Short mmCIF file of all heavy atoms in Angstrom, two decimals:
data_model
loop_
_atom_site.label_atom_id
_atom_site.label_comp_id
_atom_site.label_asym_id
_atom_site.label_seq_id
_atom_site.Cartn_x
_atom_site.Cartn_y
_atom_site.Cartn_z
N TYR A 30 86.99 -102.07 1.95
CA TYR A 30 87.22 -100.63 2.12
C TYR A 30 85.99 -99.83 1.66
O TYR A 30 85.31 -100.24 0.73
CB TYR A 30 88.48 -100.20 1.33
CG TYR A 30 89.70 -100.88 1.90
CD1 TYR A 30 90.20 -102.05 1.34
CD2 TYR A 30 90.33 -100.37 3.03
CE1 TYR A 30 91.29 -102.70 1.89
CE2 TYR A 30 91.42 -101.02 3.59
CZ TYR A 30 91.89 -102.17 3.01
OH TYR A 30 92.96 -102.82 3.57
N PRO A 31 85.72 -98.71 2.33
CA PRO A 31 84.51 -97.94 2.02
C PRO A 31 84.53 -97.36 0.60
O PRO A 31 85.60 -97.15 0.03
CB PRO A 31 84.50 -96.83 3.08
CG PRO A 31 85.89 -96.73 3.56
CD PRO A 31 86.52 -98.07 3.37
N PRO A 32 83.35 -97.14 0.04
CA PRO A 32 83.25 -96.66 -1.35
C PRO A 32 83.88 -95.28 -1.54
O PRO A 32 84.03 -94.50 -0.60
CB PRO A 32 81.74 -96.62 -1.59
CG PRO A 32 81.12 -96.59 -0.27
CD PRO A 32 82.05 -97.25 0.69
N LEU A 33 84.22 -95.01 -2.80
CA LEU A 33 84.75 -93.70 -3.16
C LEU A 33 83.63 -92.77 -3.62
O LEU A 33 82.61 -93.22 -4.14
CB LEU A 33 85.77 -93.85 -4.30
CG LEU A 33 87.03 -94.67 -4.01
CD1 LEU A 33 87.92 -94.73 -5.27
CD2 LEU A 33 87.79 -94.11 -2.83
N THR A 34 83.85 -91.50 -3.45
CA THR A 34 82.94 -90.48 -3.98
C THR A 34 83.29 -90.24 -5.44
O THR A 34 84.32 -90.71 -5.93
CB THR A 34 83.11 -89.15 -3.21
OG1 THR A 34 84.44 -88.66 -3.46
CG2 THR A 34 82.87 -89.35 -1.72
N ASP A 35 82.46 -89.49 -6.14
CA ASP A 35 82.75 -89.14 -7.54
C ASP A 35 84.10 -88.44 -7.65
O ASP A 35 84.89 -88.75 -8.55
CB ASP A 35 81.65 -88.24 -8.11
CG ASP A 35 80.34 -88.99 -8.33
OD1 ASP A 35 80.36 -90.21 -8.53
OD2 ASP A 35 79.28 -88.32 -8.31
N ASP A 36 84.37 -87.49 -6.76
CA ASP A 36 85.65 -86.77 -6.79
C ASP A 36 86.82 -87.70 -6.54
O ASP A 36 87.88 -87.56 -7.14
CB ASP A 36 85.64 -85.62 -5.77
CG ASP A 36 84.76 -84.47 -6.18
OD1 ASP A 36 84.40 -84.36 -7.38
OD2 ASP A 36 84.42 -83.65 -5.31
N GLN A 37 86.65 -88.67 -5.65
CA GLN A 37 87.72 -89.62 -5.36
C GLN A 37 87.96 -90.56 -6.54
O GLN A 37 89.11 -90.94 -6.80
CB GLN A 37 87.42 -90.40 -4.09
CG GLN A 37 87.54 -89.54 -2.83
CD GLN A 37 87.01 -90.23 -1.60
OE1 GLN A 37 86.07 -91.02 -1.64
NE2 GLN A 37 87.63 -89.92 -0.46
N VAL A 38 86.91 -90.93 -7.27
CA VAL A 38 87.09 -91.73 -8.48
C VAL A 38 87.90 -90.95 -9.50
O VAL A 38 88.80 -91.49 -10.16
CB VAL A 38 85.75 -92.21 -9.06
CG1 VAL A 38 85.94 -92.87 -10.42
CG2 VAL A 38 85.06 -93.17 -8.10
N LEU A 39 87.62 -89.65 -9.65
CA LEU A 39 88.42 -88.81 -10.55
C LEU A 39 89.89 -88.76 -10.09
O LEU A 39 90.80 -88.87 -10.91
CB LEU A 39 87.85 -87.39 -10.62
CG LEU A 39 86.51 -87.24 -11.33
CD1 LEU A 39 85.97 -85.82 -11.16
CD2 LEU A 39 86.61 -87.62 -12.78
N LEU A 40 90.10 -88.64 -8.77
CA LEU A 40 91.46 -88.63 -8.23
C LEU A 40 92.15 -89.97 -8.47
O LEU A 40 93.35 -90.01 -8.76
CB LEU A 40 91.41 -88.30 -6.74
CG LEU A 40 92.74 -88.18 -6.01
CD1 LEU A 40 93.65 -87.12 -6.67
CD2 LEU A 40 92.50 -87.84 -4.54
N LEU A 41 91.41 -91.07 -8.37
CA LEU A 41 91.96 -92.39 -8.65
C LEU A 41 92.49 -92.42 -10.07
O LEU A 41 93.61 -92.90 -10.32
CB LEU A 41 90.87 -93.45 -8.45
CG LEU A 41 91.28 -94.91 -8.63
CD1 LEU A 41 92.11 -95.38 -7.46
CD2 LEU A 41 90.05 -95.78 -8.75
N GLY A 42 91.72 -91.89 -11.03
CA GLY A 42 92.18 -91.83 -12.42
C GLY A 42 93.39 -90.94 -12.59
O GLY A 42 94.33 -91.28 -13.31
N GLU A 43 93.40 -89.79 -11.91
CA GLU A 43 94.57 -88.90 -11.98
C GLU A 43 95.80 -89.60 -11.46
O GLU A 43 96.91 -89.39 -11.96
CB GLU A 43 94.29 -87.62 -11.20
CG GLU A 43 93.25 -86.72 -11.84
CD GLU A 43 92.84 -85.55 -10.94
OE1 GLU A 43 93.54 -85.28 -9.92
OE2 GLU A 43 91.83 -84.90 -11.26
N THR A 44 95.64 -90.41 -10.42
CA THR A 44 96.75 -91.12 -9.79
C THR A 44 97.46 -92.02 -10.79
O THR A 44 98.67 -92.19 -10.73
CB THR A 44 96.25 -91.94 -8.59
OG1 THR A 44 95.64 -91.06 -7.65
CG2 THR A 44 97.35 -92.71 -7.91
N ILE A 45 96.70 -92.60 -11.72
CA ILE A 45 97.31 -93.52 -12.71
C ILE A 45 97.37 -92.91 -14.11
O ILE A 45 97.81 -93.56 -15.04
CB ILE A 45 96.58 -94.89 -12.75
CG1 ILE A 45 95.12 -94.74 -13.16
CG2 ILE A 45 96.72 -95.58 -11.40
CD1 ILE A 45 94.42 -96.06 -13.45
N GLY A 46 96.90 -91.67 -14.25
CA GLY A 46 96.97 -90.99 -15.55
C GLY A 46 96.00 -91.52 -16.57
O GLY A 46 96.26 -91.46 -17.76
N LYS A 47 94.85 -92.02 -16.11
CA LYS A 47 93.83 -92.56 -17.03
C LYS A 47 92.45 -92.22 -16.50
O LYS A 47 92.25 -92.09 -15.31
CB LYS A 47 93.94 -94.09 -17.15
CG LYS A 47 95.27 -94.55 -17.67
CD LYS A 47 95.28 -96.03 -17.87
CE LYS A 47 96.62 -96.53 -18.35
NZ LYS A 47 97.28 -95.77 -19.38
N LYS A 48 91.48 -92.13 -17.42
CA LYS A 48 90.10 -91.98 -17.00
C LYS A 48 89.59 -93.36 -16.57
O LYS A 48 89.79 -94.34 -17.28
CB LYS A 48 89.25 -91.45 -18.16
CG LYS A 48 87.79 -91.21 -17.77
CD LYS A 48 87.00 -90.68 -18.94
CE LYS A 48 85.59 -90.31 -18.58
NZ LYS A 48 84.81 -91.26 -17.88
N ILE A 49 88.98 -93.40 -15.40
CA ILE A 49 88.45 -94.69 -14.91
C ILE A 49 87.19 -95.01 -15.71
O ILE A 49 86.24 -94.23 -15.73
CB ILE A 49 88.15 -94.59 -13.41
CG1 ILE A 49 89.41 -94.24 -12.61
CG2 ILE A 49 87.54 -95.90 -12.89
CD1 ILE A 49 90.56 -95.23 -12.72
N PRO A 50 87.16 -96.17 -16.40
CA PRO A 50 86.00 -96.52 -17.21
C PRO A 50 84.76 -96.80 -16.34
O PRO A 50 84.88 -97.07 -15.14
CB PRO A 50 86.45 -97.76 -17.97
CG PRO A 50 87.61 -98.30 -17.24
CD PRO A 50 88.23 -97.16 -16.49
N GLY A 51 83.61 -96.77 -16.98
CA GLY A 51 82.33 -96.92 -16.28
C GLY A 51 82.22 -98.14 -15.39
O GLY A 51 81.74 -98.04 -14.26
N HIS A 52 82.65 -99.30 -15.88
CA HIS A 52 82.50 -100.51 -15.07
C HIS A 52 83.36 -100.45 -13.81
O HIS A 52 82.95 -100.94 -12.76
CB HIS A 52 82.79 -101.78 -15.89
CG HIS A 52 84.18 -101.90 -16.44
ND1 HIS A 52 84.67 -101.11 -17.44
CD2 HIS A 52 85.18 -102.75 -16.12
CE1 HIS A 52 85.91 -101.45 -17.72
NE2 HIS A 52 86.25 -102.46 -16.92
N LEU A 53 84.53 -99.81 -13.88
CA LEU A 53 85.36 -99.65 -12.68
C LEU A 53 84.80 -98.57 -11.75
O LEU A 53 84.88 -98.70 -10.54
CB LEU A 53 86.80 -99.31 -13.04
CG LEU A 53 87.68 -100.46 -13.53
CD1 LEU A 53 89.10 -99.99 -13.71
CD2 LEU A 53 87.63 -101.65 -12.60
N THR A 54 84.22 -97.53 -12.35
CA THR A 54 83.59 -96.50 -11.52
C THR A 54 82.50 -97.09 -10.66
O THR A 54 82.41 -96.81 -9.46
CB THR A 54 83.02 -95.37 -12.42
OG1 THR A 54 84.12 -94.74 -13.11
CG2 THR A 54 82.27 -94.33 -11.61
N ILE A 55 81.68 -97.96 -11.25
CA ILE A 55 80.61 -98.61 -10.48
C ILE A 55 81.22 -99.43 -9.35
O ILE A 55 80.75 -99.38 -8.22
CB ILE A 55 79.74 -99.50 -11.42
CG1 ILE A 55 78.97 -98.63 -12.40
CG2 ILE A 55 78.78 -100.35 -10.58
CD1 ILE A 55 78.34 -99.40 -13.55
N PHE A 56 82.27 -100.16 -9.64
CA PHE A 56 82.95 -100.97 -8.61
C PHE A 56 83.42 -100.07 -7.47
O PHE A 56 83.16 -100.33 -6.30
CB PHE A 56 84.13 -101.74 -9.21
CG PHE A 56 84.97 -102.44 -8.16
CD1 PHE A 56 84.60 -103.66 -7.67
CD2 PHE A 56 86.09 -101.82 -7.62
CE1 PHE A 56 85.33 -104.30 -6.68
CE2 PHE A 56 86.84 -102.44 -6.64
CZ PHE A 56 86.45 -103.68 -6.16
N TYR A 57 84.18 -99.00 -7.82
CA TYR A 57 84.76 -98.17 -6.77
C TYR A 57 83.72 -97.34 -6.01
O TYR A 57 84.00 -96.88 -4.90
CB TYR A 57 85.87 -97.27 -7.36
CG TYR A 57 87.12 -98.07 -7.63
CD1 TYR A 57 87.56 -98.32 -8.92
CD2 TYR A 57 87.85 -98.60 -6.58
CE1 TYR A 57 88.71 -99.07 -9.16
CE2 TYR A 57 88.99 -99.36 -6.80
CZ TYR A 57 89.42 -99.59 -8.10
OH TYR A 57 90.54 -100.34 -8.31
#
């Protein structure tokens, strides 16, 4: 699946109620 933007990574965190840590941000 195509990469996420910075805003989408923030939305990913909001979806699960957590801040996405750096290593996962790089992955996404």
